[in-house]
Amino acid sequence: MKKLLIIHTGGTFGMLPIEPSKTLAPADIQKYILTYLPEIVEIAQIDFEVAFNIDSSNIQIHHWQKLAQIITEKYNAYDGFVIIHGTDAMVYTASALSFILQGLSKPVILTGSQRPLAQIRSDARSNLISSLELATYHIPEVSIFFGRLLFRGNRTLKISSTHYDAFASPNYPPLAEVGLDITLTKNILPPGKALNYREKFDSRVFSFHFHPGLAPEYLNCILASQLKAVVIDALGAGNMSIYENSLIPWIRKMTDTGRIVVISSQSPYGRVNLDLYKSGELAQKAGGISCHDMTLPAAIVKLMFLLGQHPNDPQKIATLLSQPIAGEIAP
Ligand code: ASP
C-alpha cells in the first residue's frame, strides 16, 4: 500500500458549520477528516500534518517555505503529498511550490473545497478522495485537483467563487480527468532526477491592471519605491495607451533604474505578443518584457522567486523569466 501525507493549511474545507471562524486544533483535523471520510484508509496509508490553519488570503512567502520544508524533510518517507488549502490563494501557493521544489519525482496535489467538509452536499468529500487516489499515481509535479480535473498548479486560475468547477488552466490542458475512471493524459511533466530545493524569494513585486484613463502620474510612487519588478496586466495581446496618458515613458524610467517591467494580458486565453501592435513594439523598446502564456499569478510568483535567486541581476531575471522552470510557460 502506498504512503501519503495530508498536509492541512486551512481554508473552507475544514471550517465548522456552526462556528466557521473557529479553527480546529491540529489533532482535531485528523479526527475531523477521518470522521467524515473514514474510507480514505482504503486508498493508502495516510498520515496527517497541520502546517498552519488560516484562510488562504493570509498566505505569505514564509508559509510557502514552511510547506516546502515539510515536503522536503518527509520526501523519502511518502509516495505522495496532498495539501488541503483555501481556494482563494491556491494558485499562488501551487506556483511557489513548483518553483521551490524543482526535480520532483512524486505528486504534490493541492485541493480544497467551496463548502466545508462537514456541510451537506460538500465538494470537500470528492475533492479529497480523488486527490488522494491521484496521489498514488505517477504524477511528478505540483498540481491542483478540483471538481473533476487535475491541472498543472502554475498554469491554473481560480475562475469561480461559487461553482464546484472553480478552477481552469486556460493555456494548458488538464493533467488528468476523474470520472468513472481516472484518465491520465500525456501532459504531465517527466520526473526529475533529484529534488532541488531553493526557497529564497523577494517580495518586492507589484502588479496593476491597465485600463483606459489610467494616468501615468499615479504610477510615480512606484518609481520612488523599493519595488524591483512590476507586472502590467494589459489588454489583449499586451496593449496599453501610447498616445494620451502613454505609459511608455514610465516603463522606460522603470527599466533605466534597473527595475523589471513585465507585460501580461487580462485575457486568460492566448498569449501576450508584443510584436503585433505599435503598443507592444514601444513597450519592448522601453525595456518591457512579455509574459507570453504565463498566468498573472505564476508571473508574479516567478518574479519573486527569480529576484530571490538572482538579486541585483535584472538582465538574468529577464532571460530566465521566459524559460520554463516547472512547465509554467510554453518553451
Ligand atoms: N477564503 C477561503 C480561503 O481561501 C476560501 C476557500 O477555502 O475556498 O481560505
Side-chain angles (χ1 to χ4, degrees):
M1 208 177 205
K2 297 242 172 157
K3 262 191 101 178
L4 303 178
L5 182 65
I6 293 182
I7 307 173
H8 187 80
T9 70
T12 296
F13 186 101
M15 269 165 37
L16 296 170
I18 309 155
E19 299 167 280
S21 56
K22 189 177 167 231
T23 53
L24 289 166
D28 292 344
I29 299 278
Q30 177 169 356
K31 221 166 71 195
Y32 173 81
I33 292 174
L34 287 174
T35 304
Y36 285 93
L37 299 171
E39 67 270 43
I40 59 173
V41 297
E42 290 166 31
I43 301 171
Q45 190 186 323
I46 297 168
D47 290 333
F48 293 79
E49 168 131 11
V50 178
F52 37 89
N53 196 3
I54 55 173
D55 185 289
S56 73
S57 42
N58 296 296
I59 292 277
Q60 305 293 326
I61 288 172
H62 65 87
H63 293 108
W64 299 336
Q65 291 163 333
K66 176 154 194 198
L67 273 175
Q69 275 156 14
I70 293 173
I71 293 170
T72 309
E73 275 164 24
K74 311 219 158 161
Y75 194 66
N76 292 330
Y78 293 94
D79 298 297
F81 300 85
V82 172
I83 301 172
I84 297 172
H85 197 286
T87 55
D88 289 345
M90 193 184 285
V91 302
Y92 291 89
T93 299
S95 300
L97 290 179
S98 76
F99 302 141
I100 304 176
L101 302 170
Q102 293 178 39
L104 274 178
S105 57
K106 299 177 180 187
V108 174
I109 301 177
L110 288 94
T111 195
S113 69
Q114 297 278 49
R115 231 172 204 257
L117 175 61
Q119 277 186 3
I120 198 137
R121 212 167 38 73
S122 169
D123 52 335
R125 155 175 287 277
S126 59
N127 282 346
L128 184 64
I129 291 177
S130 297
S131 298
L132 288 167
E133 267 211 81
L134 283 162
T136 65
Y137 284 69
H138 187 56
I139 305 170
E141 56 174 293
V142 179
S143 58
I144 289 179
F145 179 79
F146 221 85
R148 58 185 182 90
L149 295 171
L150 184 76
F151 303 103
R152 175 164 301 157
N154 57 31
R155 289 283 198 158
T156 308
L157 294 171
K158 181 174 176 184
I159 54 160
S160 172
S161 57
T162 50
H163 289 169
Y164 280 179
D165 287 323
F167 290 86
S169 62
N171 288 324
Y172 196 76
L175 306 181
E177 189 173 344
V178 176
L180 185 59
D181 301 308
I182 289 182
T183 316
L184 298 196
T185 65
K186 294 198 184 332
N187 310 315
I188 297 168
L189 283 174
K193 288 195 181 77
L195 192 61
N196 186 355
Y197 176 84
R198 303 166 197 215
E199 67 158 19
K200 278 207 188 110
F201 283 81
D202 184 331
S203 67
R204 284 174 287 179
V205 177
F206 184 72
S207 129
F208 66 88
H209 203 78
F210 169 79
H211 55 82
L214 177 68
E217 67 245 34
Y218 296 130
L219 305 176
N220 286 340
C221 57
I222 299 176
L223 273 170
S225 76
Q226 297 298 311
L227 287 165
K228 297 245 172 195
V230 168
V231 187
I232 306 177
D233 200 25
L235 307 174
N239 298 313
M240 61 195 95
S241 300
I242 51 169
Y243 303 124
E244 280 175 71
N245 279 329
S246 171
L247 256 58
I248 304 299
W250 179 83
I251 295 179
R252 170 50 73 199
K253 282 188 208 149
M254 285 292 286
T255 56
D256 278 352
T257 49
R259 266 78 74 85
I260 299 156
V261 178
V262 176
I263 296 157
S264 67
S265 171
Q266 292 166 29
S267 307
Y269 289 84
R271 55 171 53 226
V272 171
N273 183 350
L274 299 182
D275 297 323
L276 211 54
Y277 298 95
K278 192 80 188 161
S279 163
E281 183 195 321
L282 295 178
Q284 283 189 92
K285 276 197 185 131
I289 306 165
S290 168
C291 188
H292 297 287
D293 64 346
M294 261 187 296
T295 64
L296 178 61
I300 291 170
V301 178
K302 188 171 179 180
L303 279 168
M304 288 182 180
F305 178 74
L306 292 175
L307 283 165
Q309 304 299 308
H310 309 283
N312 309 317
D313 198 346
Q315 211 54 51
K316 182 154 196 171
I317 295 172
T319 310
L320 293 176
L321 192 82
S322 51
Q323 294 172 10
I325 299 174
E328 74 283 359
I329 189 170

